[in-house]
Amino acid sequence: MAQGLRLVLFGPPGAGKGTQAQLLRDRLKVTHISSGDLFRYHLGQGTALGLRAKEYMNKGELVPDEVTIDIILDKVLSVPNEEGFILDGFPRNPHQAEELEKALSGAVRGLDKVVHIEVPEPVLLRRLGGRFVCRDCQAPHSIGEGEDASKVCSQCGGELYQRDDDQPKAVKKRIQVYNDETTPVLGFYRDRDVVVDISGDQTVDDVNQQVLAALDA
Ligand code: AP5
Ligand code: MG
């Protein structure tokens, strides 16, 4: 039986993880698991989990592991082996990476690749300042200064909004948290020889072509 891809998309806030995950999901028919999208969904529904996560997200901090790990691993382990998954935004610290490895060691197999999308900080700041997200399907969109921000989602027609954590103060904190708490995860995966580094400072299509080439897809 064919086995589905098991991929982690890794990179700083605004690197294009969500953008590339959606393209890969549509092309490779794998499940997209985004921890941030999941928290925002719960926030929109007003659940206890959403309210708990909001306290941390709006400040640009990581949601505590005891809230995050079980819910994401449940999703990962529920994906059938032949289907495959793309993780976007998880793991985000070494403890999360260890727990994912443990969970997958009891499964049929581990991760195929970790795609590290690198983008210089000034580009990240510019992108996050112009990002609008769909309230329904969470697809990210770029809207430049002076463009009409009342546009609707190109994928589902839903309403576009700006994330609270895309305010400059929270963005600065998110980048700091990425540098301090998340980048050590790269070392964890380099030791396992699964990391592919790709420049994300190119067009969306060029990044996508390079990711597909790295996956041999
Ligand atoms: P999360 O939602 O994961 O946010 P993030 O990692 O900060 O990443 P972003 O979603 O901001 O960026 P992206 O890389 O997806 O870029 P996108 O494709 O949108 O997490 C949010 C919060 O949730 C965290 O701060 C934390 O509080 C909590 N959280 C989540 N996971 C957690 C975990 N595991 N543990 C603990 N807490 C957790 O692109 C950005 C913009 O650029 C868009 O406008 C897009 O259109 C544009 N763009 C994309 N690619 C290109 C390109 N190649 N060229 C030009 N523009 C581009
Ligand atoms: Mg995202």
Side-chain angles (χ1 to χ4, degrees):
M1 188 190 296
Q3 298 189 323
L5 178 74
R6 298 184 157 199
L7 176 73
V8 168
L9 279 181
F10 192 90
K17 302 182 295 295
T19 302
Q20 293 299 327
Q22 293 202 343
L23 292 172
L24 293 170
R25 177 200 64 195
D26 293 347
R27 183 177 167 126
L28 305 175
K29 311 289 176 227
V30 293
T31 299
H32 174 200
I33 302 171
S34 160
S35 40
D37 286 357
L38 185 74
F39 289 139
R40 281 183 290 279
Y41 171 78
H42 277 271
L43 204 82
Q45 299 290 312
T47 68
L49 171 70
L51 295 174
R52 178 95 201 274
K54 182 181 173 187
E55 291 172 44
Y56 299 91
M57 292 173 82
N58 285 356
K59 286 190 278 189
E61 294 170 4
L62 294 187
V63 178
D65 282 350
E66 69 267 21
V67 180
T68 307
I69 292 178
D70 286 350
I71 190 167
I72 296 298
L73 293 186
D74 270 358
K75 291 213 171 284
V76 168
L77 294 177
S78 72
V79 176
N81 180 39
E82 62 276 16
E83 189 171 307
F85 58 77
I86 299 170
L87 274 166
D88 155 8
F90 185 97
R92 238 174 164 100
N93 61 30
H95 179 57
Q96 293 184 3
E98 283 156 17
E99 291 299 313
L100 174 64
E101 186 169 81
K102 253 193 254 170
L104 290 178
S105 73
V108 188
R109 56 188 234 283
L111 293 173
D112 296 313
K113 284 266 184 299
V114 173
V115 171
H116 171 215
I117 307 176
E118 295 177 277
V119 177
E121 191 171 318
V123 179
L124 299 175
L125 297 176
R126 197 171 62 234
R127 284 186 189 174
L128 293 174
R131 175 174 58 186
F132 285 73
V133 180
C134 175
R135 234 181 247 293
D136 295 335
C137 76
Q138 309 237 23
H141 295 67
S142 288
I143 297 186
E145 252 176 83
E147 282 183 61
D148 180 8
S150 63
K151 275 188 201 156
V152 292
C153 176
S154 57
Q155 313 233 344
C156 75
E159 181 199 353
L160 298 183
Y161 78 105
Q162 275 190 293
R163 282 169 40 178
D164 287 339
D165 65 347
D166 279 347
Q167 296 303 316
K169 196 170 159 205
V171 165
K172 203 167 157 234
K173 180 70 179 173
R174 282 158 63 203
I175 291 176
Q176 185 204 330
V177 167
Y178 175 77
N179 290 332
D180 295 347
E181 298 181 46
T182 305
T183 53
V185 173
L186 262 186
F188 177 93
Y189 285 126
R190 287 201 198 284
D191 289 345
R192 285 150 180 79
D193 210 17
V194 286
V195 179
V196 186
D197 299 293
I198 287 179
S199 165
D201 192 10
Q202 320 174 60
T203 66
V204 170
D205 283 349
D206 285 348
V207 176
N208 189 238
Q209 287 309 316
Q210 292 207 1
V211 176
L212 288 170
L215 299 178
D216 224 0

